[in-house]
Amino acid sequence: MGDVPERDPNRVYYNSGGFQRSRPILTGPDAKETFEEIPIIDFSEVLSSTPNVRQRLAEQVGHAARNVGFFYVENAPVSHAKIDRAFELLESFFTQPEEIKKQIDCNKSNEAKGWQPQQTVGPNGVLRESYSMGNDYTEPEQHHISIAPHGSVSLNQWPSEHTVPGFRKAMYDYYLEIYPFAKTLIQIFALALGLDETALDQYFQKPLADITAQYYPAQAPDSKPVELLFPHADFGVITLLLQNEVPGLEVLNANGIWIPAPPMPYAFVVNTGNYVEAWTNGRWPATVHRVFGKIDRPRFSLPFFVSPSPDVVVKPLQELFEHGEKPKYEERNVGQRQVKGQIGSRQDHPMTKMLRKLVPKEEDWRWEMLSQPHLLPL
């Protein structure tokens, strides 16, 4: 391996769109006007039947999306009891013996769903493990969205009812409330962009929606704050994050300064991703963020990631262009990008090996190949 390039201490380094980038840290007369806190928006009237009420909410969301890329959602239509139960069962799962968790190792799922074993993340040797579930139309809980075609295989994996009683029910109780709220939030985005409320719905007929719960075991009480997750921007449309009481999330402003996004009880931290940045031709940024802090207690986070349907090709939306404006972003197939992000980076995953053998060109990868492996060329 070659030497790691020396980093300029006056710049911040991060990943965005699959590439490593950097920006200068600006202070004094060089500093730009930028945000210094994360906006808090009350969503208690998000389901109002009054258009003006939803429009006022959309204006607040649009301001936050343009100028910050992050905002808190208070009073979302998601049950507090179901949030509590999801965290309770996740803690129960993660504290199971390793031989129990190995039964649903992510290498057994074509989309790497299930348990991701403990691994080192960040430059400081921090340990993390995760559990993920998402689109799986073989499961009756998702039949209101779609029913898997003949020949489909299961993608999600669940611990047995004997080892973690109620786990699947708790995850789906939460999923089936956050999923419709996320689709409602997409409609608020459309209003904020000056479009008809349902203008973006066409891209979310069968959206890719994933829960990826993260668990950071507690370190020594006298440990120092460290970087737990490398700075990055999300590649989807939106992320709706819940955190337990252990802080760590930070958001990068235009001056290269990290702004804390501490936990707030039952409040979602929402951020826009690379697909929204592309749709808006850069007007709504995919803002860089990281996890940095002291984990003298176990840290749990519960992000819900949403992307368009896998057959959608994301590109700047012409209806948002001003006169003479040119597109700044290339077209991206959502399904191909999902497979590359979920599977392509896992070199030892069985599905990765199969794809690289049977479909050598990554641009030919499609999400349906994971759930319907019979579509792969033999």
Side-chain angles (χ1 to χ4, degrees):
M1 295 178 63
D3 295 334
V4 177
E6 185 175 348
R7 291 187 171 183
D8 184 344
N10 297 311
R11 300 186 72 85
V12 176
Y13 294 82
Y14 57 93
N15 289 326
S16 180
F19 299 96
Q20 186 171 106
R21 308 178 191 275
S22 69
R23 70 174 65 161
I25 299 173
L26 304 176
T27 59
D30 295 327
K32 302 176 181 178
E33 184 176 343
T34 184
F35 66 93
E36 296 182 354
E37 60 183 7
I38 310 303
I40 301 172
I41 303 177
D42 184 353
F43 269 67
S44 56
E45 295 188 295
V46 67
L47 301 179
S48 170
S49 60
T50 305
N52 288 344
V53 171
R54 297 195 304 277
Q55 186 62 53
R56 285 196 298 270
L57 176 60
E59 289 169 3
Q60 295 181 67
V61 168
H63 184 270
R66 285 190 304 273
N67 297 292
V68 183
F70 270 76
F71 55 93
Y72 286 99
V73 166
E74 282 196 318
N75 298 315
V78 180
S79 162
H80 291 185
K82 291 177 181 178
I83 290 172
D84 289 340
R85 184 64 173 160
F87 273 108
E88 176 188 345
L89 270 293
L90 283 167
E91 183 172 1
S92 178
F93 170 74
F94 283 124
T95 53
Q96 293 294 313
E98 188 166 302
E99 59 265 24
I100 296 295
K101 293 182 285 190
K102 276 184 176 178
Q103 295 174 5
I104 56 169
D105 187 288
C106 62
N107 278 347
K108 298 178 181 179
S109 162
N110 282 1
E111 204 190 3
K113 299 305 181 189
W115 178 61
Q116 169 71 53
Q118 201 169 81
Q119 58 183 326
T120 300
V121 293
N124 301 288
V126 174
L127 297 176
R128 184 188 72 185
E129 58 187 272
S130 62
Y131 171 82
S132 63
M133 59 81 64
N135 300 74
D136 188 338
Y137 302 130
T138 70
E139 298 190 331
E141 295 94 336
Q142 296 188 41
H143 284 176
H144 67 289
I145 305 169
S146 183
I147 297 177
H150 180 72
S152 297
V153 300
S154 297
L155 298 175
N156 289 335
Q157 299 187 90
W158 304 96
S160 73
E161 191 65 17
H162 174 72
T163 57
V164 190
F167 183 86
R168 176 170 175 163
K169 182 179 186 305
M171 290 300 104
Y172 262 121
D173 283 349
Y174 174 69
Y175 182 96
L176 293 173
E177 289 203 0
I178 189 66
Y179 181 94
F181 172 57
K183 295 192 75 172
T184 298
L185 187 53
I186 297 296
Q187 295 184 335
I188 297 297
F189 279 9
L191 287 176
L193 290 168
L195 303 173
D196 182 82
E197 192 168 10
T198 60
L200 299 177
D201 289 3
Q202 60 182 307
Y203 305 115
F204 295 91
Q205 297 303 308
K206 299 179 185 177
L208 293 173
D210 298 86
I211 288 175
T212 304
Q214 310 284 1
Y215 166 52
Y216 298 85
Q219 294 188 320
D222 59 350
S223 59
K224 297 179 180 179
V226 295
E227 186 176 275
L228 309 177
L229 186 62
F230 188 73
H232 65 284
D234 293 346
F235 71 79
V237 171
I238 49 172
T239 303
L240 299 95
L241 172 71
L242 290 171
Q243 309 173 78
N244 72 342
E245 68 277 7
V246 180
L249 181 63
E250 296 182 337
V251 180
L252 190 65
N253 73 12
N255 291 323
I257 306 301
W258 290 105
I259 306 301
M264 293 175 57
Y266 305 113
F268 292 90
V269 184
V270 176
N271 67 281
T272 51
N274 288 140
Y275 291 158
V276 171
E277 184 172 314
W279 267 340
T280 62
N281 215 27
R283 292 178 178 84
W284 287 16
T287 301
V288 174
H289 51 285
R290 70 176 181 179
V291 180
F292 184 95
K294 181 179 180 180
I295 45 174
D296 51 355
R297 295 165 291 165
R299 184 177 194 274
F300 297 90
S301 66
L302 185 58
F304 184 73
F305 301 100
V306 181
S307 290
S309 306
D311 60 347
V312 169
V313 174
V314 171
K315 58 183 177 180
L317 298 176
Q318 294 282 335
E319 55 266 40
L320 299 179
F321 279 18
E322 297 178 356
H323 180 70
E325 185 175 351
K326 303 294 183 182
K328 302 175 184 176
Y329 297 81
E330 296 180 354
E331 297 183 358
R332 285 176 277 185
N333 176 270
V334 171
Q336 187 274 337
R337 182 64 184 83
Q338 183 84 354
V339 175
K340 184 177 179 180
Q342 295 284 84
I343 298 298
S345 60
R346 303 169 187 265
Q347 300 302 325
D348 295 328
H349 192 284
M351 193 65 190
T352 303
K353 295 178 179 179
M354 184 181 298
L355 281 169
R356 296 203 181 281
K357 178 181 178 181
L358 300 179
V359 190
K361 295 181 179 180
E362 289 185 357
E363 59 267 30
D364 294 332
W365 292 359
R366 294 294 179 268
W367 184 81
E368 291 76 11
M369 294 176 178
L370 306 182
S371 59
Q372 303 172 63
H374 62 275
L375 298 178
L376 290 166
L378 298 178

